[in-house]
C-alpha cells in the first residue's frame, strides 16, 4: 500500500500548526558549515577533537551531516573513507568499518549501546534514527578499550542531545524538516525543540524531537533478480518483461521494500554551574519489508503482488511468503555529570534501560518474535594529570535478556552479563604525543533450556598504544598498535535452524573460543590552508577469527556454519579535500577518496567438520570440508569517489560519484559481484530572515545514471538491487 500523503500525516499537521510560534523566535541558531576536525569527539572520555586524536576518527555534523542523512545509519556514513553499509532492503543498513560488520562494530547512542538486536541477524535494523542526530562519530580500528569486545572492528557513536547537558543559547531554538522523494514516494517530517528556563541556582533545560517517515516500494532499473546469476544476458527492455518475469522476478519496482518509521524523544535536565542531571524517554517504531523473498508481477504500483514460485524449503514449512518486520523500542535513560572534583576533573554517569520487541511476519502469519530487555550502565572518571599523563578511568556493566519465540527462531533465548573496567591516557613529549590504554571484560552467557551447548564464560583483555609525531603544525604522522579480544555472541555459538531472512540453515559452534586481533596502523595527516590530506595503511592478524562459512551443503537451503580460523586483514584508505578557488563565481572545492581492504584465511589445506541439520526431532547428518585458506566471505569491494562542491551567497551545490570495483576476491561457494558507479547531486538555497530565523530549500539526486547496483556485502545481492534514479526535495527551517 502506498503511504499516506503529507496533509494526512499527523506529524506534518503538528509541524504546520507549530510553525507560526517557531518563526517568531529571535536570534536563532542554525546549521552552518563546520570545521569537522575541531569538533570534540564525545565517544572519548577525554575532551579531544578529531584533529587531536591519534587514532582515526571521522565526524559528520552541520551541512555535511544534512547532506549525508539517509533512511539508515549505514547509508548515512557510507561515503566516509573505509566505511560502507550492509544492505538488506532500505529498512536495514548497518555500518561496515574496514570490512568488519555485525557483532564487530558497536553502534552507540551517545556512549551507550543501541539496545536492539541488529547483530543477531542481517535483516534486523538499527534502532537509531540518523535524521535526529546532531553529530555522528565513526571510530575506525579497534574501539574495545572504550566499548568492549563488540567494538573490535570499530564503533559508530550517534549524538542526539536527547538529555541536555548545557543551557541553550536562546530560550527556545530548534529545527524542522519536510522532504519528499520520487524513487520510493517518500514522505518524511521531523521537528526538534530545545529550550532553557531559569530555576533558582540553575536552569531547567528540555529537549523534544519527533520524526515520521513513510515510503512505498522503490523503483529499480530493471529486474529484481540478477540475470547473471541465472546465466542469462541482461534484459533491459520492458517489452520482454513477461517473457522473463517468472525467472527474474519483478521488473521496475522491488516488491516488499516499503518502510514506515516513527521516532520521538523527550528529555529534561537540571543544569548548574558544576554539572547536570537529566532523564529522557524515547521510542522507535519501524515497519519494513524484507525484499527478495517473493516473486511478483509489477505494474509500477507497490503491493500488487502475485507469487510465481515457492522456496525449496516449503516442504518443511518455510513457504516463500513476503516477510515483514515490525519493531518497537522504548528506552529510558538517566545521565549526570559533575566537574571540578579535586583530584578528578569530571565524573560522568550514564544509565539506560531498553525494552525491544521485534516481530517477523511471513505473509499474515507470525513467524518469530524477538524480545530484548537490556540495561547498561557506564561511569567515566577523568583524573587530573598523573606523572604527566592525562587519563580517564571507566567502568561499564550491561545485562541482556534475549528471547526468540516461534518456529523460525534459529537462535535460542539467552541471558548475557558483561562487566568491564578500563583506563586510557595520553601524554605529550615535545612534538610527540603518546596514547596508552587497557581494558578487561568478563562476559557470562546463560542459554535457555533445550538449547545446544553449555553456558559459557569469557574473559577478554585489550591493550593499545599509539604515537603521534607533529613534524610541524600542519603535518603529523601516527603509529598505532593494538591487541584486542572479542568473545563470541549467542548467534555464533548456538544458532541451530532455518534462517528465513537469508534463506539458509545457520548452525552455531558451541565451543568457539575468544577471538584475538593484533593490529598495526600507520597514518598521515596534513592540513594546510585550503588543502587537507589524510591516508592510512593497516594490518590486522586474527587468531581464531569467527566467520560464517558456506559448507557447500544444501538441505532446503544453503547450510552455513559459524566457525573460526586464523585470518589476516590488510587495507588502506586516503582522502583529499582542496578548496581550489574563491572568486566572484563563488567558492569551489573538490574532495576525492578511496579505500581497499582484503580479508584472507591464513591456514593451509582443509579440515573436516560434522554437520547436523535439525529436522524436528531428528537431524540430517553430513560431513563438510572447509578450506583453511582463501578469501573470507562478503568482503567489501574497493572504491574510489569524488565530489565537486560550489557555494556562492545563499546557494550551494555539489556533484559526486563513487565507483565500486568488481569484487572478484570471493570465498568458496560465493559468486563475484559486478562493479557499479553511483552518481549524486545536491542543490540548496539558504536564506536568513529579518526576524533572525532561517529557511533552506534543497534538491538531492541519487543514482542519477539509474545503474543497477548490487552490494557484495548483501545476502540479497542477487535478489534486490539498490534503488534506481531518485530525486528528493524539501525544506528545512532553523530557529
Amino acid at each position: 500500500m502506498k503511504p499516506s500523503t503529507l496533509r494526512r500525516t499527523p506529524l506534518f499537521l503538528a509541524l504546520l500548526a507549530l510553525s507560526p510560534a517557531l518563526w517568531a523566535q529571535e536570534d536563532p541558531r542554525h546549521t552552518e558549515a563546520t570545521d569537522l576536525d575541531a569538533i570534540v569527539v564525545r565517544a572519548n572520555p577525554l575532551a579531544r577533537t578529531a584533529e587531536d586524536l591519534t587514532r582515526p576518527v571521522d565526524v559528520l555534523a552541520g551541512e555535511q551531516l544534512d547532506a549525508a542523512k539517509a533512511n539508515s545509519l549505514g547509508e548515512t556514513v557510507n561515503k566516509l573513507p573505509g566505511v560502507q553499509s550492509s544492505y538488506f532492503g532500505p529498512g536495514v543498513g548497518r555500518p561496515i568499518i574496514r570490512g568488519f560488520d555485525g557483532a564487530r562494530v558497536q553502534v552507540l547512542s551517545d556512549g551507550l549501546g543501541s539496545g536492539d538486536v541488529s547483530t543477531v541477524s542481517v535483516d534486523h535494523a538499527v534502532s537509531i534514527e540518523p535524521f535526529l542526530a546532531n553529530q555522528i562519530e565513526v571510530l575506525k580500528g579497534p574501539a574495545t578499550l572504550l566499548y568492549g569486545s563488540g567494538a573490535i572492528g570499530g564503533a559508530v557513536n550517534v549524538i542526539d542531545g536527547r538529555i541536555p547537558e548545557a543551557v541553550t543559547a536562546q530560550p527556545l531554538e530548534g529545527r524542522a524538516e519536510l522532504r519528499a522523494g520520487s524513487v520510493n514516494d517518500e514522505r518524511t517530517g521531523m521537528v526538534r525543540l530545545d529550550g532553557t528556563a531559569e530555576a533558582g541556582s540553575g536552569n531547567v533545560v528540555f529537549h523534544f524531537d519527533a520524526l515520521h517517515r513513510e515510503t512505498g516500494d522503490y523503483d529499480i532499473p530493471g529486474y529484481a533478480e540478477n540475470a547473471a546469476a541465472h546465466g542469462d544476458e541482461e534484459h533491459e527492455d520492458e517489452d520482454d518483461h513477461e517473457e522473463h518475469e517468472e525467472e527474474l522476478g519483478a521488473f521496475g519496482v522491488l516488491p516488499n521494500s516499503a518502510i514506515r518509521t516513527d521516532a520521538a524523544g523527550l528529555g529534561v535536565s537540571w543544569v548548574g554551574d558544576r554539572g547536570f542531571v537529566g532523564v529522557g524517554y524515547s521510542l522507535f517504531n519501524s515497519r519494513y519489508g524484507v525484499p527478495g523473498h517473493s516473486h511478483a508481477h509489477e505494474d509500477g504500483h507497490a503491493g500488487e503482488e502475485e507469487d510465481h514460485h515457492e522456496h525449496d524449503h516449503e516442504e518443511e514449512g518455510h513457504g516463500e511468503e513476503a516477510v515483514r518486520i515490525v519493531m518497537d523500542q522504548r528506552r529510558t535513560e538517566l545521565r549526570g555529570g559533575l566537574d571540578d572534583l579535586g583530584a578528578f576533573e569530571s565524573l560522568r554517569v550514564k544509565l539506560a534501560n531498553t525494552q525491544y520487541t521485534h516481530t517477523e511476519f511471513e505473509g499474515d502469519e507470525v513467524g518469530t518474535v524477538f524480545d530484548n530487555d537490556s540495561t547498561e550502565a557506564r561511569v567515566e572518571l577523568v583524573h587530573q594529570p598523573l606523572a604527566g599523563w592525562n587519563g580517564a578511568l571507566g567502568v561499564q556493566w550491561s545485562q541482556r535478556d534475549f528471547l526468540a519465540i516461534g518456529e523460525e527462531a534459529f537462535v535460542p533465548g539467552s541471558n548475557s552479563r558483561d562487566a568491564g573496567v578500563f583506563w586510557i591516557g595520553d601524554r605529550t613529549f615535545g612534538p610527540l604525543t603518546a596514547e596508552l590504554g587497557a581494558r578487561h571484560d568478563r562476559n557470562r552467557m546463560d542459554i535457555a533450556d533445550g538449547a545446544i551447548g553449555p553456558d559459557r564464560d569469557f574473559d577478554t583483555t585489550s591493550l593499545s598504544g599509539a604515537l603521534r609525531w607533529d613534524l610541524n603544525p600542519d603535518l603529523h604522522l601516527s603509529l598505532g598498535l593494538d591487541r584486542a579480544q572479542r568473545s563470541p555472541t549467542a548467534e555464533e555459538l548456538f544458532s541451530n535452524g532455518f534462517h528465513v531472512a537469508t534463506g539458509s540453515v545457520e548452525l552455531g559452534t558451541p565451543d568457539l573460543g575468544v577471538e584475538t586481533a593484533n593490529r598495526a596502523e600507520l597514518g598521515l595527516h596534513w592540513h594546510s590552508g585550503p588543502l587537507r590530506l589524510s591516508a592510512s595503511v593497516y594490518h590486522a592478524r586474527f587468531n581464531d577469527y569467527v566467520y560464517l562459512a558456506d559448507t557447500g551443503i544444501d538441505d532446503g537451503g544453503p547450510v552455513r556454519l559459524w566457525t573460526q580460523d586464523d585470518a589476516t586483514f590488510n587495507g588502506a584508505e586516503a582522502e583529499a579535500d582542496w578548496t581550489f578557488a574563491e572568486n566572484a563565481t563563488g567558492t569551489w572545492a573538490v574532495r576525492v577518496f578511496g579505500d581497499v581492504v582484503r580479508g584472507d584465511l591464513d591456514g593451509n589445506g582443509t579440515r573436516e567438520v560434522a554437520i547436523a541439520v535439525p529436522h524436528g526431532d531428528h537431524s540430517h547428518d553430513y560431513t563438510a570440508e572447509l578450506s583453511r585458506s582463501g578469501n573470507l566471505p562478503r568482503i567489501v569491494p574497493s572504491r574510489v569517489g569524488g565530489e565537486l562542491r560550489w557555494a556562492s551567497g545563499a546557494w550551494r551545490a555539489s556533484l559526486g560519484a563513487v565507483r565500486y570495483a568488481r569484487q572478484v576476491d570471493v570465498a568458496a561457494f560465493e559468486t563475484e559481484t559486478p562493479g557499479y558507479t553511483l552518481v549524486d547531486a545536491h542543490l540548496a538555497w539558504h536564506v536568513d530572515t529579518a526576524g533572525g530565523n532561517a529557511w533552506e530549500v534543497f534538491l538531492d539526486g541519487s543514482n542519477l545514471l539509474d545503474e543497477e547496483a548490487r552490494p557484495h556485502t548483501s545476502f540479497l545481492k542477487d535478489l534486490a538491487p539498490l534503488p534506481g534514479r531518485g530525486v528528493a526535495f524539501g525544506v528545512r527551517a532553523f530557529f
Side-chain angles (χ1 to χ4, degrees):
M1 179 178 294
K2 284 288 186 178
S4 59
T5 61
L6 278 171
R7 56 187 175 83
R8 295 176 182 172
T9 303
L11 177 59
F12 288 98
L13 295 175
L15 288 174
L16 294 175
L18 280 170
S19 59
L22 299 181
W23 307 151
Q25 302 302 315
E26 296 180 354
D27 193 18
R29 299 192 311 174
H30 56 76
T31 303
E32 297 176 349
T34 306
D35 182 359
L36 299 180
D37 283 337
I39 295 177
V40 173
V41 177
R42 291 175 57 97
N44 192 317
L46 302 176
R48 302 289 185 268
T49 67
E51 176 75 13
D52 295 332
L53 289 171
T54 299
R55 303 187 171 280
V57 178
D58 277 332
V59 179
L60 285 174
E63 291 177 357
Q64 291 90 337
L65 179 56
D66 283 338
K69 285 178 180 176
N71 289 348
S72 69
L73 182 60
E75 188 180 351
T76 299
V77 298
N78 189 45
K79 288 187 180 179
L80 296 175
V83 185
Q84 297 193 33
S85 177
S86 68
Y87 189 74
F88 215 89
V92 182
R94 215 173 185 278
I96 301 174
I97 301 178
R98 295 179 169 180
F100 301 112
D101 61 354
R104 292 185 179 86
V105 172
Q106 183 76 279
V107 175
L108 306 162
S109 177
D110 201 358
L112 293 177
S114 58
D116 54 42
V117 295
S118 61
T119 62
V120 173
S121 175
V122 290
D123 64 323
H124 296 179
V126 174
S127 59
I128 292 179
E129 175 50 58
F131 268 80
L132 297 174
N134 290 334
Q135 178 174 319
I136 298 178
E137 305 162 352
V138 180
L139 284 67
K140 295 186 282 190
T144 51
L145 288 180
L146 295 173
Y147 297 108
S149 69
I152 196 171
V156 178
N157 190 35
V158 180
I159 312 298
D160 54 30
R162 280 179 163 167
I163 297 182
E165 299 185 11
V167 299
T168 57
Q170 303 299 321
L172 182 64
E173 58 190 36
R175 66 178 187 262
E177 180 173 327
L178 299 175
R179 72 162 54 205
S182 66
V183 74
N184 55 4
D185 199 17
E186 176 189 4
R187 302 291 188 269
T188 297
M190 63 81 65
V191 63
R192 174 193 174 108
L193 298 172
D194 296 276
T196 300
E198 293 186 5
S201 60
N203 298 273
V204 174
V205 188
F206 80 90
H207 168 91
F208 169 78
D209 63 55
L211 174 137
H212 176 80
R213 175 189 299 114
E214 290 191 42
T215 76
D217 293 343
Y218 67 76
D219 297 337
I220 55 178
Y223 290 98
E225 294 200 27
N226 186 4
H230 288 268
D232 298 335
E233 295 180 359
E234 296 184 10
H235 301 280
E236 298 294 341
D237 188 353
E238 192 169 0
D239 292 338
D240 60 6
H241 170 202
E242 293 184 2
E243 179 182 348
H244 300 284
E245 65 176 353
E246 186 169 344
E247 181 180 8
L248 300 180
F251 182 91
V253 175
L254 185 67
N256 200 33
S257 58
I259 308 171
R260 173 173 175 153
T261 299
D262 294 282
L266 177 65
V268 180
S269 297
W270 182 89
V271 179
D273 294 335
R274 292 181 54 205
F276 76 97
V277 60
V279 295
Y281 181 80
S282 61
L283 62 87
F284 182 88
N285 182 280
S286 187
R287 305 180 180 199
Y288 59 93
V290 179
H293 289 266
S294 62
H295 290 298
H297 177 80
E298 288 293 321
D299 62 2
H301 297 281
E304 299 181 10
E305 302 180 4
E306 178 183 350
D307 292 336
H308 289 293
H309 72 265
E310 297 179 343
H311 194 281
D312 293 338
H313 208 74
E314 185 171 9
E315 62 182 7
E316 299 295 336
H318 305 291
E320 190 70 16
E321 300 285 349
V323 178
R324 295 179 296 110
I325 289 177
V326 177
M327 57 183 290
D328 184 85
Q329 177 175 287
R330 309 298 168 101
R331 184 178 176 97
T332 305
E333 293 189 62
L334 171 67
R335 295 175 184 254
L338 190 61
D339 299 325
D340 301 327
L341 302 174
F344 297 96
E345 293 183 4
S346 66
L347 169 69
R348 293 292 182 269
V349 179
K350 305 175 183 179
L351 175 66
N353 175 259
T354 305
Q355 304 284 335
Y356 178 98
T357 300
H358 168 129
T359 305
E360 296 185 357
F361 291 88
E362 299 172 42
D364 295 327
E365 301 294 328
V366 174
T368 311
V369 177
F370 295 90
D371 283 325
N372 194 60
D373 183 352
S374 63
T375 301
E376 182 176 0
R378 184 178 178 91
V379 178
E380 299 171 352
L381 195 59
V382 179
H383 61 73
Q384 298 286 359
L386 188 63
W389 288 86
N390 302 293
L393 295 165
V395 177
Q396 186 174 0
W397 173 87
S398 65
Q399 177 171 319
R400 183 182 90 154
D401 294 319
F402 171 79
L403 183 63
I405 305 170
E407 294 182 359
E408 309 294 353
F410 70 101
V411 181
S414 62
N415 178 275
S416 301
R417 295 182 299 278
D418 296 270
V421 58
F422 66 89
W423 176 85
I424 62 169
D426 59 36
R427 182 178 178 181
T428 300
F429 302 88
L432 300 177
T433 299
E435 294 182 7
L436 294 176
R439 177 175 178 129
H440 182 76
D441 285 87
R442 176 73 170 172
N443 166 247
R444 177 169 177 81
M445 193 178 305
D446 298 327
I447 302 302
D449 293 339
I452 61 170
D455 298 339
R456 298 293 305 273
D457 290 285
F458 300 97
D459 288 281
T460 59
T461 300
S462 296
L463 304 171
S464 177
L467 191 66
R468 190 178 80 172
W469 180 19
D470 294 323
L471 298 172
N472 58 53
D474 300 324
L475 175 65
H476 67 250
L477 301 175
S478 60
L479 173 66
L481 300 173
D482 301 273
R483 176 191 185 269
Q485 290 191 312
R486 183 182 75 91
S487 57
T489 62
E491 55 272 18
E492 294 168 342
L493 293 166
F494 305 114
S495 294
N496 191 42
F498 187 78
H499 189 176
V500 173
T502 60
S504 64
V505 178
E506 193 165 314
L507 303 176
T509 301
D511 60 353
L512 293 176
V514 168
E515 175 183 285
T516 302
N518 297 291
R519 185 195 69 117
E521 178 169 350
L522 183 64
L524 174 148
H525 185 92
W526 181 41
H527 192 175
S528 179
L531 180 61
R532 184 182 69 177
L533 299 172
S534 61
S536 61
V537 294
Y538 53 89
H539 169 84
R541 174 69 183 271
F542 282 80
N543 296 325
D544 298 323
Y545 181 84
V546 179
Y547 68 102
L548 186 60
D550 197 322
T551 64
I553 298 169
D554 191 295
D555 190 328
V559 177
R560 298 187 174 109
L561 176 71
W562 286 104
T563 186
Q564 62 186 163
D565 216 324
D566 295 345
T568 297
F569 282 76
N570 293 297
E573 60 198 42
E575 181 181 24
D577 199 305
W578 178 33
T579 302
F580 61 88
E582 291 186 78
N583 51 44
T585 65
T587 301
W588 297 83
V590 63
R591 170 183 176 256
V592 294
F593 74 94
D595 50 46
V596 60
V597 63
R598 285 289 307 273
D600 302 286
L601 293 171
D602 285 345
N604 295 305
T606 61
R607 57 190 173 92
E608 187 176 279
V609 294
I611 303 290
V613 178
H615 286 266
D617 57 358
H618 67 284
S619 64
H620 295 171
D621 297 326
Y622 303 92
T623 299
E625 293 283 341
L626 298 183
S627 175
R628 303 193 63 188
S629 62
N631 301 299
L632 284 163
R634 291 172 296 282
I635 295 297
V636 295
S638 58
R639 301 181 301 173
V640 60
E643 179 185 48
L644 177 66
R645 303 190 306 272
W646 166 82
S648 179
W651 293 90
R652 70 177 186 271
S654 67
L655 176 65
V658 181
R659 175 63 185 178
Y660 291 76
R662 179 182 181 90
Q663 182 56 285
V664 297
D665 299 319
V666 297
F669 309 107
E670 184 181 30
T671 59
E672 297 181 1
T673 305
Y676 52 90
T677 301
L678 298 180
V679 177
D680 64 272
H682 306 270
L683 177 67
W685 178 68
H686 182 100
V687 58
D688 296 316
T689 67
N693 304 298
W695 291 83
E696 188 167 284
V697 180
F698 62 90
L699 181 67
D700 298 331
S702 58
N703 193 6
L704 295 178
L705 300 182
D706 203 30
E707 186 157 353
E708 182 177 304
R710 299 180 182 274
H712 184 75
T713 56
S714 174
F715 282 90
L716 297 180
K717 68 174 185 172
D718 292 326
L719 301 174
L722 295 181
R725 181 186 297 113
V727 176
F729 53 93
V731 59
R732 301 185 182 103
F734 309 95
F735 47 91

